[in-house]
Amino acid sequence: MTSHRTAQTMKPATAAKKLGVYLEATPAEFQEGSVSRDELNALQTDPPEWLRELRRNGPHPRPVVAARLGVSISGLARGGVTEALTTEQIEALRDENPEWLQKERATQAEVRKEAERLKEKRAKEDAADS
């Protein structure tokens, strides 16, 4: 007796998140269907033109905007950025470098520095325990 494996599928929102794109900017057929694990892998390894264009020019979802600006998603919200931004808008924000962006970048740098300090501390403790 052979068992039939059913293809694992995900909602378009989940697939868009995994692809790092803004769902509302994807083609209608992507938004309306479900995406199998195989289809997702194919999109990641050989992205169609619409996906390459979205990744290049946006609009980008907030996690991508935050990463490109070097701030947290919460930092974006504190700065009043709640919508998806295009690459051009992100560049303009970077060039303008408003006070909130400078502050959030400094905060993010402190968070990274503290995380690194804790990581080193744990590594030393683990080495001492060995």
Side-chain angles (χ1 to χ4, degrees):
M1 185 176 223
T2 59
S3 62
H4 295 284
R5 266 186 64 207
T6 57
Q8 223 182 3
T9 60
M10 61 193 82
K11 294 178 182 175
T14 304
K17 187 174 185 177
K18 289 180 180 287
L19 292 169
V21 295
Y22 187 56
L23 177 62
E24 286 76 11
T26 61
E29 61 269 11
F30 181 86
Q31 293 180 35
E32 294 163 1
S34 62
V35 180
S36 73
R37 175 76 53 197
D38 290 339
E39 290 169 332
L40 179 70
N41 290 340
L43 287 170
Q44 289 173 325
T45 55
D46 186 24
E49 183 55 37
W50 66 264
L51 182 53
R52 287 195 299 273
E53 182 66 23
L54 270 180
R55 286 178 170 168
R56 188 174 30 254
N57 298 318
H60 304 286
R62 287 182 307 144
V64 173
V65 174
R68 288 188 176 192
L69 290 173
V71 301
S72 67
I73 295 172
S74 300
L76 280 180
R78 285 190 292 271
V81 179
T82 57
E83 299 296 317
L85 299 179
T86 63
T87 300
E88 188 176 299
Q89 290 169 315
I90 293 169
E91 293 296 326
L93 248 178
R94 243 195 246 138
D95 292 343
E96 184 183 318
N97 202 16
E99 188 176 326
W100 72 265
L101 182 56
Q102 293 172 37
K103 181 180 172 195
E104 292 300 333
R105 281 182 169 166
T107 300
Q108 192 70 8
E110 287 299 317
V111 168
R112 282 192 209 103
K113 191 186 302 182
E114 180 64 9
E116 185 61 32
R117 186 189 69 77
L118 291 173
K119 182 179 172 184
E120 289 173 6
K121 180 181 175 186
R122 274 188 236 107
K124 286 179 184 174
E125 289 171 354
D126 289 345
D129 290 343
S130 298

